[in-house]
Amino acid sequence: MEGEVSVKEFLEVEERPSHTYDNNTGSPQRNDEETSINKSTVGFNFLSLSLNNSEKAQGNQGQQLTQAGLLRIKLEEAKKENQNLRARLNHITHQYTTLQNHPFLAMKKQQQSSPAPNYLDLLKKEDAIVTEKPTMPLEGDQINNYNHTTREGAKSIADQAHEPSTRKARVSIRARSDYFLMGDGCQWRKYGQKIAKGNPCPRAYYRCSMGTACPVRKQVQRCAKDDTVLITTYEGNHNHPLPPPARPMACTTSAALSMFLSGSITSTTPPIGSTKLLNLGLLPSLSGSVSTGLATFSPSPSCPTITLDLTLPSNDNSLHFQRDFSLDHSQPFPFPLHGCAQQIVGMNSYSKPPTAITPEKNLCLTDLVGAAIAKDPSFKAACVAAISSFTGAT
DNA sequence: CGTCTTTGACCCGCGC
DNA sequence: GCGCGGGTCAAAGACG
């Protein structure tokens, strides 16, 4: 952090009039980058001379000329330092951007080692549309289900923009968080709040404010039974390009929805009520209580909702399904969780007071769903269909 | 001054 | 038809 301040201060040197410089400073050393930064900052402090020193110099014209020369040299040095620091800043910015895109790059790299990974080419061009059968290392039923899921999934998502019945389909995500909002990479504008029946916690209504007239809305509410559980419900598709941090969430919700809407998932166990269930299999490496994901589908004719429960304990093996999304513990995590830089996107009066943020208590939604994406090939494929749907709509 | 949040009012669908 | 509850609107206030 100190480095950032130094850079900031140093970059201001160019803005200062040259006549304020002093000749009492030594030339900044450049043994290494860090030394350079620190010394330049120190140099700048010295260079910000007082008027008193300038007045003293007026007594000797020859000395003034010498000073002018020194000042020019120092100015040139300062400019060089400035260029170096700008280059370093650009490098850091590039690294930051690269890290943000790491999940998708890792998926791409992983698939390049498998035969004909044409679906991943879509990630290169965001405006691509899924039209071919993606080939992935699937086995048995996964292949059949995958084909169905991807084609129908893409169709379902695309249809959502035209069919009133499916446009209302929702994806609900349950996750533990001490804060009222969890970062998903998007910008939201609150437009309402209600106290729902049976839950003392208010339900907040948000609208996506990243695009003009974006139809996406979300509801945020704490669970009545466990106020540490935050329930976030998404509805609709974005009509604008999404920033990298928002893509995992957007594609996951749409992919999950498309998989269920396509009807390609069936339960091998008697349905609980009218619910279909799918074990998504989150990573065991995820910290805290989140180690297993469970999706619940409520096929209400007017408003089908899929719930991704990221709060269930890992030993919950009470449900088994036709499609096996179980974890392959021998395989390393294909990409690292990209952190919670955008974890807290806002707090309102219903937020809990700021407490020590730990990964356990404040898992980023994009991290959680990113893990789900990474572990399941067909889920990834559905995500690609979703991404294509999103970007193709713009 | 512009943007965002808050909050009461209003609308609408659904069940009785 | 009526009441209830969920969802949305919009004016007022807060905030930077």
Side-chain angles (χ1 to χ4, degrees):
Chain A
M1 292 300 122
E2 288 179 4
E4 290 181 14
V5 175
S6 298
V7 170
K8 215 179 251 180
E9 288 177 357
F10 182 79
L11 292 177
E12 291 172 357
V13 167
E14 280 191 338
E15 311 291 329
R16 307 253 175 159
S18 59
H19 69 271
T20 59
Y21 290 146
D22 197 345
N23 65 339
N24 291 332
T25 60
S27 297
Q29 301 293 320
R30 292 184 183 78
N31 293 336
D32 55 62
E33 265 189 88
E34 222 173 302
T35 305
S36 176
I37 293 174
N38 293 335
K39 295 245 176 180
S40 343
T41 307
V42 173
F44 165 69
N45 291 335
F46 277 103
L47 287 169
S48 303
L49 59 139
S50 64
L51 287 174
N52 292 337
N53 287 343
S54 298
E55 288 165 3
K56 286 178 185 175
Q58 285 179 349
N60 189 326
Q61 212 171 27
Q63 195 177 352
Q64 260 190 334
L65 292 173
T66 307
Q67 284 179 350
L70 288 172
L71 287 173
R72 284 195 189 94
I73 293 172
K74 291 185 184 304
L75 183 60
E76 289 304 315
E77 289 174 349
K79 284 182 178 177
K80 285 180 183 176
E81 285 294 327
N82 196 4
Q83 287 177 353
N84 288 336
L85 289 168
R86 283 185 192 280
R88 191 183 180 196
L89 185 61
N90 288 336
H91 179 65
I92 292 172
T93 303
H94 175 73
Q95 284 183 323
Y96 174 74
T97 306
T98 302
L99 283 173
Q100 278 200 325
N101 291 326
H102 196 166
F104 287 94
L105 294 174
M107 287 170 61
K108 175 183 171 184
K109 186 178 178 182
Q110 185 188 31
Q111 291 303 316
Q112 277 175 343
S113 60
S114 61
N118 53 2
Y119 91 94
L120 282 165
D121 292 340
L122 299 172
L123 293 175
K124 294 178 183 175
K125 290 187 176 183
E126 293 186 355
D127 55 350
I129 299 174
V130 174
T131 55
E132 300 178 16
K133 175 189 111 181
T135 56
M136 299 178 64
L138 302 180
E139 296 179 0
D141 290 340
Q142 282 189 335
I143 296 175
N144 296 329
N145 287 331
Y146 174 77
N147 295 339
H148 189 179
T149 296
T150 306
R151 292 173 183 168
E152 298 298 324
K155 180 179 181 296
S156 297
I157 294 173
D159 289 347
Q160 283 186 40
H162 309 291
E163 297 177 7
S165 60
T166 55
R167 185 173 45 208
K168 278 192 169 185
R170 297 172 177 174
V171 177
S172 180
I173 296 174
R174 292 167 54 91
R176 295 191 185 279
S177 173
D178 278 349
Y179 290 86
F180 193 76
L181 286 180
M182 293 183 74
D184 50 22
C186 282
Q187 292 176 353
W188 302 95
R189 176 187 176 88
K190 190 175 183 178
Y191 67 89
Q193 181 168 295
K194 272 280 187 182
I195 301 285
K197 190 182 180 183
N199 190 341
C201 302
R203 175 184 300 165
Y205 300 90
Y206 295 87
R207 193 173 287 157
C208 178
S209 60
M210 294 191 75
T212 55
C214 179
V216 176
R217 298 179 180 190
K218 79 169 180 180
Q219 301 174 9
V220 181
Q221 186 176 33
R222 290 205 169 273
C223 179
K225 295 177 181 177
D226 184 358
D227 65 355
T228 65
V229 175
L230 199 62
I231 304 171
T232 308
T233 304
Y234 296 87
E235 178 184 327
N237 284 338
H238 294 278
N239 63 357
H240 54 85
L242 293 169
R247 289 173 192 165
M249 172 59 66
C251 79
T252 302
T253 53
S254 273
L257 195 57
S258 67
M259 289 172 76
F260 283 107
L261 292 178
S262 70
S264 62
I265 315 296
T266 56
S267 172
T268 57
T269 56
I272 302 173
S274 57
T275 299
K276 292 180 181 179
L277 298 160
L278 164 69
N279 186 351
L280 290 176
L282 280 180
L283 289 182
S285 60
L286 282 172
S287 60
S289 59
V290 181
S291 55
T292 295
L294 195 69
T296 307
F297 181 53
S298 305
S300 165
S302 60
C303 184
T305 302
I306 175 174
T307 300
L308 303 178
D309 196 336
L310 307 179
T311 66
L312 296 178
S314 59
N315 59 353
D316 185 353
N317 296 321
S318 58
L319 299 164
H320 302 280
F321 308 99
Q322 187 173 9
R323 298 193 64 195
D324 184 13
F325 289 82
S326 63
L327 299 173
D328 181 357
H329 293 234
S330 64
Q331 291 184 353
F333 193 22
F335 59 80
L337 300 179
H338 60 68
C340 294
Q342 301 199 19
Q343 182 177 354
I344 306 303
V345 295
M347 294 172 64
N348 62 10
S349 57
Y350 294 93
S351 316
K352 289 196 170 183
T355 54
I357 300 176
T358 64
E360 245 177 69
K361 291 183 178 179
N362 291 280
L363 285 168
C364 189
L365 281 181
T366 52
D367 289 344
L368 296 176
V369 298
I373 296 170
K375 287 310 298 180
D376 179 51
S378 55
F379 202 70
K380 271 189 269 186
C383 287
V384 171
I387 293 171
S388 301
S389 172
F390 282 136
T391 55
T394 57

